[in-house]
Amino acid sequence: MIRSVVRGNGAALPRRIMKNADFEGMVETSDEWIVQRTGIRQRHVAADDETTASLGEAAARAALDSAGMTPADIDLIILATSTPNNTFPATAVEIQNRLGMHHGFAFDMQAVCSGFVYAVATADLYIRGGLAKRVLVIGSETFSRILDWSDRSTCVLFGDGAGALVLEAEEGAGAITDRGVLAASLRSDGVHKDKLFVDGGPSTTGTVGHLRMEGREVFKHAVGMITDVIEATFGQAGITAEDLDWFVPHQANKRIIDASAKKLGIAEEKVVVTVDLHGNTSAASVPLALSVAVADGRIKKGDLVLLEAMGGGFTWGAVLLRW
Ligand SMILES: CC(C)(COP(=O)(O)OP(=O)(O)OC[C@H]1O[C@@H](n2cnc3c(N)ncnc32)[C@H](O)[C@@H]1OP(=O)(O)O)[C@@H](O)C(=O)NCCC(=O)NCCS
């Protein structure tokens, strides 16, 4: 059986760091409120010359380096983003060009904060279906461009950044001990559309729009949705929370992460938390968290890793893989 195995990973962050205290003169908020409600301490904010394409390219180059590959080795790029450089063409194609890659194909995937989990599951299907052998999966976002900087209930929560993985086809035994993607479960339900959305778009207002969110409503649904989809993934793979080495959740809010891990019975020391460093970087949050836990030596070859995300739509999903 063909498995999609991680060969390398990378990340890129804008130069500028914005601390919670930097908001204190802009909106009525405090470092204490932000830390207590969300766990966020700082986020990176893109300068004019830093875009979803440039950050995505930098993360892709880092992932290729760590895989010991060049763009010539890649046949597909999937970019998860909700903040593309242009309405079209796909920013994935722009990254393809920046990498000097003129073969293969590239496309964007839009599932908001769940984008990276959707993209890994999709890359796995392309690999197992024989349409690609080596796939660059990127999550890159510049949410700072779509924030309403006068709305304290949203502007303090998000940040910019990018992360990437290189996946490659490898023959596996079809067992849970195989390396690569082992199980995935994806969901969406548009009934929740108005709880987290951007109030603009090409076909409606003709503007880019700003992010709007009913934070309390999102919070209310998050833990149940996350734990349902993870239990479905555990069921597919025939494992329990105790078998996991690492839980790498979407980094939106520390309270949601803690409550989900607790409900699932995942030990605190197995949970990778980077929301304090990056804020919510939407589709970039899971690969950025992976990059931190790989760089500090926590995630190692052979470890069983659970990725999870939930976002606007709502969309939600989980991927289980052996690193
Ligand atoms: C946004 C969130 C942190 C707010 O925390 P909360 O405990 O639910 O707070 P509430 O929304 O109940 O607001 C409590 C009060 O804090 C205020 N408040 C909101 N943002 C604030 C800020 N940055 N600083 C200070 N006060 C703030 C609210 O106006 C409200 O005041 P009121 O009681 O006078 O109306 C929380 O709801 C959350 O994290 N939701 C999920 C968001 C998320 O993860 N989204 C992304 C999913 S991909």
Side-chain angles (χ1 to χ4, degrees), residues 82-122:
S82 303
T83 46
N85 273 35
N86 295 84
T87 302
F88 79 77
T91 303
V93 175
E94 188 169 341
I95 293 174
Q96 180 189 21
N97 187 46
R98 282 166 170 263
L99 292 172
M101 180 179 154
H102 303 289
H103 63 278
F105 63 115
F107 61 85
D108 287 1
M109 175 154 264
Q110 216 272 49
V112 203
C113 298
S114 309
F116 192 79
V117 167
Y118 269 54
V120 170
T122 304

Side-chain angles (χ1 to χ4, degrees), residues 29 33 37 113 152-153 213 215-216 219 250 252-253 280 310:
T29 191
W33 190 95
R37 300 293 174 117
C113 298
R152 68 177 181 174
S153 71
M213 180 170 74
R216 222 173 299 184
F219 200 103
H250 173 49
N253 184 311
N280 181 349
M310 184 255 177

Side-chain angles (χ1 to χ4, degrees), residues 27-30 33-34 37-38 113 152-154 156-158 196 213-219 250 252-253 255-256 280 310-312:
V27 287
E28 208 183 318
T29 191
S30 64
W33 190 95
I34 300 170
R37 300 293 174 117
T38 72
C113 298
R152 68 177 181 174
S153 71
T154 54
V156 303
L157 302 176
F158 294 88
L196 175 50
M213 180 170 74
E214 292 173 35
R216 222 173 299 184
E217 281 295 308
V218 176
F219 200 103
H250 173 49
N253 184 311
R255 285 152 65 207
I256 295 175
N280 181 349
M310 184 255 177

Side-chain angles (χ1 to χ4, degrees), residues 1 4 18 48 52 82 97 118 120-121 158 198 206 209 215 228 230 233 257 276 280 282-283 288 305 315:
M1 157 168 202
S4 309
M18 196 171 170
D48 289 347
T52 294
S82 303
N97 187 46
Y118 269 54
V120 170
F158 294 88
V198 169
D228 277 359
I230 289 173
T233 308
I257 295 172
D276 53 329
N280 181 349
S282 189
L288 276 170
V305 181
T315 55

